[in-house]
Amino acid sequence: MAETATDRLRIIMGDEGLARLQQATVMVFGVGGVGSNCVEALARGGIGRLVIIDKDVVAPSNINRQAIAFTSTVGRPKIDVMAAMIADINPACEVIARNAFVLPENLDELVNDCLAACDGHIDYIVDAIDTVATKLAIAELAPTRDIPLISSMGAANKLHPECLRIADIHDTVRDPLSRVIRKECRRRGIRRLQVLYSCEEPMRTAGRPEGGSERTELGTASFMPPIMGQMIAGEVLRRISGVGCEPVRPDGTRVGA
């Protein structure tokens, strides 16, 4: 029998788990450092339909951490590069791409548009954007649509992947972005929000003198956003397939084993 791209997936996921992945739709807001690496892992993991939304183009500063960033892709729309990568990895995966800024004002319309393109069903949402107001808008919207959501917190000025945790936002510690989101969740009555965050104390850095639209004192290690994207993809793949969802003890053994 000829070797296929799903052979190793089938061994661990089983026929039923793999079928669930191939029938699933995952929406990813933002295909930057975390998002692009998450989408790559979802495509390799057998997801049948991916919805990707981003307005940015690939910039030289993206090359240190983004799966879609190469010298050959600088200046190209991120969703175009991401869609081509998905097609090269998993030609059977349907891609719905929207070249759009995600804002609280257009979020509802964007989700409605994507739902219409997805036969009215999305299995999971991944929030991999940076804007606090939009992250909160997504956190408010997802429960009203009964769509599971996982939101990425910050990787800036952090160097230790072993400090990454998947938790509820109200259980996060020592992460500046999580602190802001947590406070706003309490104020808005958002009781639950699954996030990936780092409990590592951020490094103190000196800001660069030149101006710019981004906060210049924030640096990002080449390995942190890719690891975060992979971890989020792992959570989504486990939840959709139903495989590997049981708790694991600190020593690595499974609860109930």
Side-chain angles (χ1 to χ4, degrees):
M1 184 179 294
E3 183 175 301
T4 73
T6 59
D7 288 351
R8 297 302 178 99
L9 289 172
R10 193 178 303 277
I11 291 169
I12 195 166
M13 295 296 182
D15 289 337
E16 291 185 8
L18 184 57
R20 283 192 285 268
L21 294 171
Q22 292 171 332
Q23 294 162 11
T25 299
V26 179
M27 171 184 280
V28 181
F29 288 107
V31 291
V34 174
S36 65
N37 286 283
C38 179
V39 170
E40 179 185 358
L42 292 172
R44 294 187 188 279
I47 292 295
R49 181 191 285 142
L50 286 163
V51 182
I52 55 174
I53 304 172
D54 202 304
K55 183 67 174 179
D56 285 343
V57 299
V58 179
S61 62
N62 300 152
I63 292 174
N64 83 315
R65 65 195 183 281
Q66 299 190 11
I68 53 174
F70 304 87
T71 56
S72 61
T73 62
V74 169
R76 291 179 57 191
K78 290 184 177 181
I79 59 164
D80 290 352
V81 182
M82 190 84 257
M85 179 181 284
I86 295 167
D88 204 16
I89 293 168
N90 183 2
C93 181
E94 179 185 355
V95 179
I96 296 169
R98 295 292 183 266
N99 188 23
F101 288 117
V102 186
L103 304 168
E105 296 79 13
N106 70 353
L107 178 62
D108 202 61
E109 181 182 353
L110 264 175
V111 172
N112 285 340
D113 173 52
C114 293
L115 277 168
C118 297
D119 305 317
H121 185 74
I122 292 171
D123 293 277
Y124 229 104
I125 293 175
V126 174
D127 160 27
I129 58 177
D130 298 325
T131 310
V132 170
T134 306
K135 295 181 90 66
L136 289 162
I138 295 171
E140 289 180 312
L141 179 139
T144 68
R145 304 302 183 92
D146 198 27
I147 306 174
L149 164 68
I150 183 167
S151 181
S152 173
M153 297 292 105
N157 295 356
K158 299 194 176 187
L159 292 169
H160 290 271
E162 66 271 22
C163 294
L164 290 166
R165 305 282 187 273
I166 292 175
D168 186 86
I169 188 64
H170 299 291
D171 297 326
T172 57
V173 295
R174 288 190 295 277
D175 179 52
L177 179 56
S178 295
R179 186 180 305 118
V180 173
I181 299 292
R182 187 171 64 242
K183 180 179 178 180
E184 282 298 309
C185 282
R186 290 196 186 105
R187 189 176 71 83
R188 299 181 185 210
I190 300 172
R191 296 188 176 184
R192 286 187 171 184
L193 174 60
Q194 186 184 42
V195 301
L196 174 67
Y197 84 104
S198 169
C199 63
E200 177 187 356
E201 190 73 32
M203 290 183 62
R204 294 184 182 275
T205 59
R208 293 178 295 156
E210 64 267 25
S213 59
E214 296 185 15
R215 294 178 61 191
T216 56
E217 76 277 12
L218 299 181
T220 310
S222 62
F223 50 87
M224 285 295 287
I227 293 170
M228 293 175 72
Q230 295 275 342
M231 287 183 68
I232 289 173
E235 178 71 7
V236 173
L237 292 167
R238 287 191 297 270
R239 295 295 174 185
I240 290 175
S241 68
V243 178
C245 296
E246 67 275 12
V248 177
R249 301 185 185 94
D251 65 0
T253 58
R254 287 179 173 80
V255 173

